């Protein structure tokens, strides 16, 4: 694994966002990180470990800075194998208000080798497992070999037995030469042992082999070979006849198929004729369609006009009734006028006389 770039914020000693460009640092070869205790040297290694495995090498209960409520980590690295691949891990942690410990938030692992970024995982468990698969090391192996915490170098040197062997196998990809090779050899030995026991049993069943018995077996084998060659020649002849007969059989089968198809087409021919006659009738009916349509339009127009006539007739009856009512009212009014007119004329004359007398009286008074 080759580190490319690390961004950390709110992690241990770092409050503000810090970015470390490892490519810039390694241009001159080796580089060192120096500073007093508590300045954040180990925090850089912690950031890499947390990004890859979701936990730091020192297994601290709280790695979020006391002045921050969250920590952000982004780590870009490169894996060189058959092809060079670049990856970016991003994680965020928030302080739990109840326990005051870091609680994992959003996280993702992306393949950024090409312009088209591919999101490989976006869950905590998925990112942890995928990083372990890509790097090929567990967190314990990583912190013992790549990122050695303070005071842990002597522990690495003193490792022995199965722990040291297993770790070296994972580091140098020697599993196929370790337990896998031992298991493969053991399985092969078990198979050969079983075969040996089987052969020994067969040899005991055969008993002692003499030269005479061996010569008999050789002669028997020669006769069997002759028989085999004769049978092989006979088999070739049979195969040739079979191929010839199969070609004839295929032609006969093809002929039967064509005859069946012909019979089917003959049967369909009658159907086609029947359909053709129906089609002809249909065409004749289509030629009459304009006349039928015109006749239906005339019928419809007649029905509409009859409806209009009935409606007009009803209106005429209504107007006739109204006219008769008006005529009777006029007769009544005329008769009343003839009766009341003389009285009205008489009243008018009396009123005029009264007015004239009133005028005379008004003149006298003045």
């Amino acid at each position: 694994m080759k580190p490319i770039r690390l961004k950390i914020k709110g992690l241990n000693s770092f409050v503000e966002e810090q970015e470390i460009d490892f490519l810039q640092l390694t241009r001159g070869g080796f580089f060192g990180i120096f500073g007093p205790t508590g300045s954040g040297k180990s925090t850089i290694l912690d950031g890499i470990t947390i990004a890859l495995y979701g936990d730091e090498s020192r297994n601290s209960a709280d790695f979020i800075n006391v002045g921050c409520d969250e920590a952000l980590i982004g780590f870009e690295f490169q894996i060189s194998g058959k092809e060079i691949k670049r990856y970016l891990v991003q994680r965020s942690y928030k302080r739990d208000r109840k326990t005051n410990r870091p609680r994992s938030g959003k996280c993702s692992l992306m393949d950024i080798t090409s312009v088209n970024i591919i999101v490989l995982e976006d869950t905590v468990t998925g990112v942890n497992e995928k990083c372990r698969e890509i790097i090929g090391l567990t967190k314990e192996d990583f912190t013992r070999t790549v990122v050695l915490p303070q005071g842990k170098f002597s522990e690495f040197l003193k490792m022995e037995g199965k722990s040291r062997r297993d770790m070296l196998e994972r580091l140098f990809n020697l599993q196929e030469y370790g337990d896998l090779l031992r298991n493969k050899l053991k399985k092969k030995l078990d198979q050969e042992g079983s075969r040996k026991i089987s052969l020994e049993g067969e040899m005991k069943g055969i008993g002692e082999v003499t030269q005479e018995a061996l010569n008999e077996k050789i002669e028997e084998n020669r006769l069997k070979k002759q028989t085999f060659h004769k049978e092989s020649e006979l088999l070739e002849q049979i195969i040739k006849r079979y191929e010839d007969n199969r070609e004839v059989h295929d032609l006969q089968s093809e002929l039967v198929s064509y005859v069946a198809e012909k019979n089917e087409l003959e049967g369909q021919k009658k159907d086609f004729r029947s359909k053709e006659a129906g089609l002809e009738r249909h065409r004749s009916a289509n030629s009459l369609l304009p006349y039928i349509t015109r006749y239906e339009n005339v019928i419809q127009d007649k029905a509409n006009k009859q409806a209009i006539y009935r409606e007009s007739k009803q209106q005429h009856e209504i107007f006739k009734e109204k006219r008769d009512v008006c005529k009777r009212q006029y007769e009544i009014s005329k008769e009343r006028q003839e009766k009341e007119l003389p009285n009205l004329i008489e009243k008018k004359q009396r009123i005029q006389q009264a007015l004239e007398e009133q005028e005379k009286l008004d003149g006298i008074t003045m």
Side-chain angles (χ1 to χ4, degrees):
M1 181 199 73
K2 179 180 179 180
I4 305 297
R5 186 175 289 101
L6 175 67
K7 290 183 180 180
I8 50 179
K9 179 181 179 182
L11 182 66
N12 290 334
S13 306
F14 299 103
V15 177
E16 301 297 330
E17 181 179 277
Q18 304 293 327
E19 180 176 343
I20 302 172
D21 188 343
F22 291 100
L23 294 181
Q24 182 70 22
L25 292 174
T26 54
R27 283 184 177 179
F30 292 103
F31 70 94
I33 302 174
F34 305 95
T37 302
S39 61
K41 301 185 298 297
S42 298
T43 300
I44 297 174
L45 304 180
D46 290 340
I48 295 175
T49 308
I50 293 172
L52 295 175
Y53 297 99
D55 195 7
E56 63 174 359
S57 58
R58 294 177 286 182
N59 294 319
S60 174
D62 185 7
F63 49 77
I64 300 179
N65 186 280
V66 293
C68 302
D69 292 327
E70 67 175 355
L72 303 175
I73 303 170
F75 180 51
E76 182 181 339
F77 62 96
Q78 176 178 307
I79 298 294
S80 300
K82 294 181 179 179
E83 57 178 337
I84 297 176
K85 304 284 286 185
R86 280 198 176 190
Y87 301 92
L88 173 62
V89 189
Q90 294 180 331
R91 295 181 187 261
S92 66
Y93 292 88
K94 291 188 178 181
R95 190 186 304 280
D96 193 298
R97 294 183 179 180
K98 295 182 179 179
T99 62
N100 208 35
R101 292 185 176 183
R103 179 164 52 85
S104 181
K106 294 181 179 180
C107 66
S108 62
L109 171 62
M110 294 170 281
D111 185 340
I112 59 172
T113 307
S114 62
V115 178
N116 297 325
I117 298 175
I118 303 173
V119 179
L120 301 177
E121 295 289 345
D122 58 1
T123 63
V124 175
T125 304
V127 171
N128 293 345
E129 293 179 353
K130 193 65 178 180
C131 286
R132 187 160 52 246
E133 176 187 335
I134 292 172
I135 298 174
L137 296 174
T138 63
K139 177 195 167 188
E140 290 72 19
D141 295 339
F142 187 78
T143 55
R144 287 171 179 169
T145 57
V146 181
V147 180
L148 283 173
Q150 296 178 8
K152 294 293 183 178
F153 184 70
S154 61
E155 179 182 331
F156 167 69
L157 296 178
K158 294 176 183 178
M159 286 181 64
E160 58 183 17
K162 188 175 185 302
S163 298
R164 187 184 186 90
R165 184 176 66 252
D166 293 344
M167 185 189 69
L168 291 174
E169 285 180 0
R170 290 190 293 270
L171 283 175
F172 300 103
N173 197 23
L174 298 176
Q175 291 92 336
E176 58 179 320
Y177 303 107
D179 290 338
L180 295 179
L181 180 59
R182 285 193 296 273
N183 294 334
K184 186 176 181 179
L185 290 174
K186 183 177 181 302
K187 184 178 180 181
K188 187 67 175 177
L189 287 173
D190 292 340
Q191 292 176 352
E192 294 299 328
S194 300
R195 185 181 177 189
K196 177 184 177 183
I197 294 172
S198 177
L199 292 174
E200 288 175 349
E202 291 179 3
M203 290 178 64
K204 289 180 180 180
I206 294 174
E208 186 178 357
V209 179
T210 62
Q211 185 63 39
E212 183 180 358
L214 181 59
N215 293 334
E216 290 180 358
K217 290 294 181 182
I218 292 173
E219 180 64 19
E220 182 181 352
N221 185 46
R222 186 182 66 81
L223 295 173
K224 287 184 176 180
K225 284 184 178 180
Q226 290 180 354
T227 305
F228 171 75
H229 288 305
K230 291 180 181 179
E231 296 293 338
S232 297
E233 292 176 357
L234 180 60
L235 177 62
E236 289 179 0
Q237 294 175 3
I238 293 173
I239 290 174
K240 187 176 183 306
R241 289 198 301 270
Y242 169 75
E243 293 294 338
D244 295 339
N245 293 332
R246 186 176 66 175
E247 185 176 356
V248 175
H249 177 268
D250 291 342
L251 291 173
Q252 290 177 345
S253 299
E254 189 174 356
L255 177 61
V256 171
S257 176
Y258 286 149
V259 171
E261 186 176 357
K262 177 185 176 183
N263 294 333
E264 183 179 357
L265 291 174
E266 289 291 340
Q268 292 178 357
K269 186 176 181 181
K270 296 179 180 179
D271 294 338
F272 288 147
R273 288 177 177 174
S274 176
K275 290 179 179 178
E276 186 177 4
L279 180 61
E280 188 62 32
R281 291 194 298 270
H282 180 69
R283 288 174 180 170
S284 300
N286 283 340
S287 63
L288 296 175
L289 182 61
Y291 300 102
I292 295 173
T293 304
R294 189 180 303 170
Y295 172 75
E296 290 177 349
N297 292 336
V298 170
I299 296 298
Q300 183 64 37
D301 185 56
K302 180 181 178 182
N304 294 336
K305 289 181 178 180
Q306 287 179 346
I308 294 172
Y309 171 75
R310 287 194 296 271
E311 184 177 357
S312 300
K313 188 175 181 181
Q314 291 176 356
Q315 293 291 335
H316 174 72
E317 295 294 333
I318 293 172
F319 290 146
K320 186 178 179 181
E321 291 178 358
K322 289 182 178 181
R323 187 196 66 183
D324 293 339
V325 170
C326 292
K327 187 176 180 179
R328 287 195 297 273
Q329 290 177 351
Y330 172 75
E331 295 293 336
I332 294 171
S333 299
K334 185 178 180 182
E335 184 178 353
R336 183 183 301 171
Q337 179 184 6
E338 291 176 351
K339 289 181 180 180
E340 295 179 357
L341 184 59
N343 295 330
L344 291 174
I345 292 173
E346 184 179 355
K347 287 181 179 180
K348 183 179 178 181
Q349 292 175 353
R350 287 200 299 270
I351 291 171
Q352 287 178 349
Q353 292 176 359
L355 288 173
E356 291 175 355
E357 292 178 358
Q358 182 65 38
E359 288 177 357
K360 291 179 180 179
L361 290 175
D362 290 339
I364 295 173
T365 303
M366 291 177 64

